Amino acid sequence: MNVFGILKLLDKHKRKRGRRISLKNLIPGLFLGIMIPLAMILVIYSSYIARSVEVSSSQSSRSQLEIFKSHMESTMKATERVMSGMVSGNAQFQSFSVELMLNDMYNRSYNVQEILKSNLTANQNLYTMAVYSPVNNWYTGEYNSYYEITSSQRIKAQKNLEAEIKRLVNQGDFDLSKWFFHSIGGRDYLLRGMNYRTVYCIAVIDLDRLNTIAVLDYRMNGTLIFGEGETMVYPNLELGLAPGEILKAGDSYLITGTAKKYLVVSDQAGYITLIYARPYDGILNEMNLFHIIVILCAVMAVVAVPFVSIWLWELVVNPISHLTNTIEAIRNGDLSAHVDTYAVEEFCQVNDMFNQMIDEISELKIASYEKELEKQNTEYQLLQSQIRPHFYLNCLKNIYGMAESGKNKEIQQTILHLSSYLRYIFTITKDYVPLQKELEVCKNYTDLFSLNQHQSIEFSITYDAVLTNIPIPPVSLLTFIENSIHYGFVSGQKLKLVLKVSRIVTAERVLIHITVGDNGPGFEQSVINSIDKEEIMVDGKGKKHVGIYNVLKRFRLCYGDDFAAAFRNREGALVELFFPYTEGEEL
């Protein structure tokens, strides 16, 4: 058994304890293990709801835009059919391509105006249709009064339209190939024109008026923006988006990042881009009551986790922790430790019963301790009395042998060493002696033996200077030195004894490590077995050897389970002793 084996033996109870589950950690762990995943699920589900509501809102806006687009495309196609029919097959319209008398123009315009009125009535999105004959300098127009602006605004718009249409036609700037955007008098229009020689049929869609129609007829509570390519011809909102970015809303939707947010969707009506920007007041305003309740539950779950954890810690974990700390203090010998009272009724009952039990145990332990102390003192004195005669007889036997040989000088030196030894033995009145005293008597004994037997012994002592005054049982190390001398000699070999005292520092404690070794034949296996079993050694002749047994017994009485010993063979007999060291503990 080596040092690590001894440390493993001493910490065995701690390792067993480490495999247990702590209730004060288990309860918060279970709570957090349930609440945190639940809160995460609610947060994820809330995010899913928010995204779903946002997508649903965009789909609703897109559906409104698609309905409006369908009606607008229908208006544009129907108007083009009427214009095409008039240009290609209406004789009255075609007759305006040549110069006519004023009366003839009025007579022939009746049929043309009726066609224009009929198309305006059928297509509310169309603002006006007009006929312009530059040859006759004649312009006539019909206007849709549906959701009309004020009369003064209408008259002003009509004058501006007539003047600008004449200008575009006369200067050759009127694009007859398609519908096109044009700003007239501060208002934005979508124009379409067809001609028969020098007479023109013009259709006009007022974009400002379209927004009013979109709100009243299509329940579109936002703003319509029109574009062609990447050119926005009606950008009257601060969206904070480039035209190219707005067009991306055709595949999905966008939410602007400006101070006033908009949800933007777009669609294509031929080469014309329709953009619908609806005010966006935040996801909560888009949700129904159920969605809001789920979001609130998620927020409450996340917020509740730390507060409930603190509350659970105060009500459950702290009482359990205090109870375990109190038990640990009592296990370390502090019977005055008691458990506090807590708010939980069950803890109060347990704590009151526990405190009452500790008080009773304390009283019983005091009485038991006094009896045990008396018993240990009696046993300790008996063990010491068994050790001392063992040394006396060995010394007297050696002196007797020298007297027979007439070695007077050796007898004198022996008696000096023996008197020093006996003085140590007879003056022991306590259960402990300083380590330094025990080391001196060991050296004295080896010198005494060398004088008696004329056999030189090489004895080395190494020790930590800090440990010179630590307490150890008297005549303990001397017993191992005597055994090494008695059993360690090998014929033709000088006996070498080593005694070493050191400290072993671990994370948990500091241990004193004492090593006694020789270069002899070592321990017999039966001796090691008896020591491991803590039995008295009996040799083949039935003789009992109590020296080592008594030393180990006395160490065990002093240090209890904190003492450990190891006996093994390594180039001779080797004894290792381990017991705790308390800094400042001296004699």
Side-chain angles (χ1 to χ4, degrees), residues 481-544:
I481 295 296
E482 184 200 22
N483 282 344
S484 291
I485 292 175
H486 186 73
Y487 297 104
F489 278 102
V490 177
S491 179
Q493 176 178 293
K494 185 178 181 179
L495 179 62
K496 296 180 181 180
L497 299 179
V498 176
L499 197 160
K500 183 179 180 182
V501 184
S502 60
R503 288 179 296 172
I504 298 177
V505 180
T506 69
E508 302 293 331
R509 60 175 69 186
V510 178
L511 296 176
I512 296 176
H513 180 207
I514 298 178
T515 302
V516 181
D518 60 52
N519 62 340
F523 294 110
E524 295 181 0
Q525 189 59 44
S526 60
V527 173
I528 295 177
N529 293 339
S530 297
I531 294 173
D532 289 341
K533 296 177 182 179
E534 297 185 358
E535 298 176 347
I536 297 176
M537 290 170 281
V538 180
D539 59 21
K541 299 179 180 180
K543 182 181 180 181
K544 294 182 179 180

Side-chain angles (χ1 to χ4, degrees), residues 56 115 166 183 189 195 534:
S56 176
I115 295 174
K166 287 180 178 181
S183 180
Y189 297 95
N195 71 311
E534 297 185 358

Side-chain angles (χ1 to χ4, degrees), residues 40 43 142 159 173 216 229 236 246 275 283 328 339 352 383 420 424 453 468 483 511 521 558 566 573 579:
M40 291 179 63
V43 169
E142 297 294 334
K159 288 182 178 180
D173 295 332
L216 296 176
N236 63 335
I246 295 177
I275 300 165
I283 191 63
E328 184 68 20
V339 188
D352 290 341
L383 291 172
S420 176
Y424 172 74
Q453 302 296 328
T468 55
N483 282 344
L511 296 176
C558 293
F579 53 92

